[in-house]
Amino acid sequence: MTAVELIVKATRLCNLRCSYCYDWRAGAGNTMSFETLARLLARTLTPADHDVVGFDWHGGEPTLLPLTFFKKALHLQDRFRRPEQLVRNVIQTNATLITSEWAKFLAENSFDVGISIDGPADVHDRYRVDRAGRPTLARTLEGLARLRDHGIEPGIGIVVDRAGLEAGPAALFDFLVAHRARLVGLNFVMPEALAPDVGAVDRRHYVDPDESAAFLVGLYDQWRSHGDPGIHIRELAALVDSLHGVRPGPCTLAGRCFGIVFRIEPNGDVYHCDYFGEDPRYRWGNITTDDFATLRQNPSLRIRTATHAGERNKLRSCPEFSVCHGWCPHVRATAREHHEGYRTDCCGLRDLIAHIRANPPVPRVRTATTSA
């Protein structure tokens, strides 16, 4: 069974101006045409070996597009998918534009939904502002409430930047509990892929592996002390699973992503994942002219795959390699460029994994009660 994950930049337009974000664009040519959409879906769903396909609709802000765009996408999926093929749709949104109509559509069509929320107002609103510089947390929470009113429990995607580090993991965890978050994923802020230097003057927009691991240790302790197994923090849950012999689900800990994860730009350009930006070394082709067999034979993809394998071989001497599988190639690539503590024999998660080993999750014990 072959799985393929597509991060579809349906539009690069956005109604926010998050200060750490380099994903938005302005002007014409930043929204996917129907012709490109149709070619993308046909080329993705027709290969006989694409048994499981995930469409992750990203931006910019995808809810700036009309609902008709996604209705057409679903129609095309029905047209091209095979009866035995599993197709999943996810939309990642800042939720400020979620109306009841949007929530109803997403619920009726079984979309998974991810919302970007960075934490309490003094954290979230420090970076996540609209085009006029106004805070956005209140509007995002209103969108969250509308989704819940329609039976959708979205995942919460958190970008951890300087403000989040300064507030600390306890403040973040308390916020998640207060807002009944159940599915949580963390993204530690990274510089733009081709940024020449980020450490000399302004470090707001790079959290290095040592800092991220230390933050995750604190967050793990908060989660463990709280004792609610229903709160699923993606990175921590994946490491706990891996320690118990379960292959981690997130691509960042899977050990293999090249040729499986693809990012599709509005003009059809195909890159590797959502992290390497417009680095030409990670561009595999264009979906309007290249099928997946051609994309996977691209010389750049083959070089990057071999490079990744070589880096992972150097990491095998780490005693925790079987747990982290070398972590994310983008984290390693960024650390190699910008982190003074970069090491070729450790991905940066060793201390976190050792901490989890020494402090395993406490099983939640239900106490039987009897009525008088």
Side-chain angles (χ1 to χ4, degrees), residues 206-221:
Y206 178 42
V207 176
D208 66 49
D210 293 341
E211 293 172 311
S212 60
F215 188 90
L216 286 168
V217 166
L219 191 62
Y220 176 79
D221 288 343

Side-chain angles (χ1 to χ4, degrees), residues 74 79 113 142 156-157 166 185 214 256 261-262 287 344:
L74 294 177
R79 166 67 177 80
V113 181
E142 289 174 2
I156 306 299
E166 292 164 7
R256 181 179 174 226
V261 180
F262 300 87
I287 201 66
T344 59

Side-chain angles (χ1 to χ4, degrees), residues 34-44 76 80 287-290:
F34 175 78
E35 291 76 12
T36 300
L37 175 68
R39 188 60 60 88
L40 166 65
L41 294 174
R43 290 195 186 278
T44 304
L76 289 167
F80 292 115
I287 201 66
T288 64
T289 56
D290 303 314

